[in-house]
């Protein structure tokens, strides 16, 4: 399977659609979008996701005001080992896909960037005061956040662009 092109019922070759984008940025939709219900599904998905995002605001307030300040986790070591394993897997997959020139590297790079941001956040927020917190901040500033930015930049630079 050397080819990374997707096949199926609809052609998934992206085309540029400028009309009605509002922001002036071109929209990228599948070629079959004009003759199918795909744009309707996209609009519905956009509405549902927007509503769900807004609906989470009261939940966030509830969590922030209702959760205890501290908690004990039964699987603390497995939690951190698992998160760092996913980061390692993301870095490895991105490197291997890049080496092969595979356009899917943008996906693994974006996911790895998000994982690294989560790691930096939880490391600093769960660290005990003193040397543990200082080490968490140093790791975030000099390792996790720069690597997350590098992965995010890599993801945006390796997104396949439509032919012009």
């Amino acid at each position: 399977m050397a080819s990374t092109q997707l096949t199926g019922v609809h052609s998934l070759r992206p085309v540029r659609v400028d009309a009605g984008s509002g922001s002036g940025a071109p929209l990228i939709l599948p070629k079959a979008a004009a003759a199918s219900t795909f744009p309707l599904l996209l609009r519905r998905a956009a509405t549902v996701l927007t509503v769900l995002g807004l609906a989470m605001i009261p939940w966030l307030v509830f969590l922030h005001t209702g959760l205890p300040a501290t908690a004990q986790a039964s699987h603390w070591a497995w939690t951190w080992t698992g998160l760092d394993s996913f980061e390692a897997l993301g870095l490895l997959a991105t490197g291997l896909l890049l080496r092969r020139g595979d356009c899917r590297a943008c996906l693994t790079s974006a996911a790895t960037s998000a994982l690294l941001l989560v790691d930096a956040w939880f490391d600093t927020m769960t660290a005990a005061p003193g040397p543990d917190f200082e080490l968490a901040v140093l790791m975030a500033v000099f390792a996790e956040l720069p690597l997350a930015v590098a992965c995010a930049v890599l993801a945006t630079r390796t997104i396949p662009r439509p032919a012009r």
Side-chain angles (χ1 to χ4, degrees):
M1 282 193 12
S3 173
T4 60
Q5 185 171 351
L6 300 173
T7 58
V9 176
H10 298 290
S11 168
L12 290 177
R13 272 184 262 132
V15 294
R16 186 176 171 159
V17 180
D18 289 316
S21 66
S23 67
L27 299 175
I28 305 299
L29 296 173
K31 199 171 200 165
S36 73
T37 60
F38 193 65
L40 176 63
L41 292 175
L42 277 180
R43 287 194 304 273
R44 286 185 178 164
T47 300
V48 168
L49 293 172
T50 302
V51 169
L52 289 173
L54 291 171
M56 284 192 67
I57 294 171
W59 174 248
L60 295 172
V61 172
F62 170 76
L63 285 177
H64 187 72
T65 58
L67 288 176
T70 62
Q72 184 172 350
S74 299
H75 305 287
W76 191 252
W78 280 108
T79 301
W80 288 111
T81 304
L83 178 59
D84 286 356
S85 295
F86 285 125
E87 291 171 12
L89 183 62
L91 293 168
L92 179 65
T94 301
L96 293 174
L97 289 170
L98 282 174
R99 186 169 294 281
R100 291 179 22 195
D102 193 318
C103 65
R104 293 174 292 185
C106 67
L107 301 174
T108 57
S109 187
T112 304
S113 177
L115 287 169
L116 287 161
L117 289 174
V118 168
D119 193 4
W121 175 260
F122 281 103
D123 278 347
T124 55
M125 294 295 107
T126 61
D132 286 346
F133 180 74
E134 292 167 6
L135 179 60
V137 169
L138 287 173
M139 288 289 293
V141 170
F142 293 108
E144 294 154 348
L145 295 178
L147 193 51
V149 169
C151 284
V153 169
L154 180 63
T156 59
R157 300 265 171 107
T158 57
I159 293 174
R161 305 280 193 253
R164 300 203 191 256

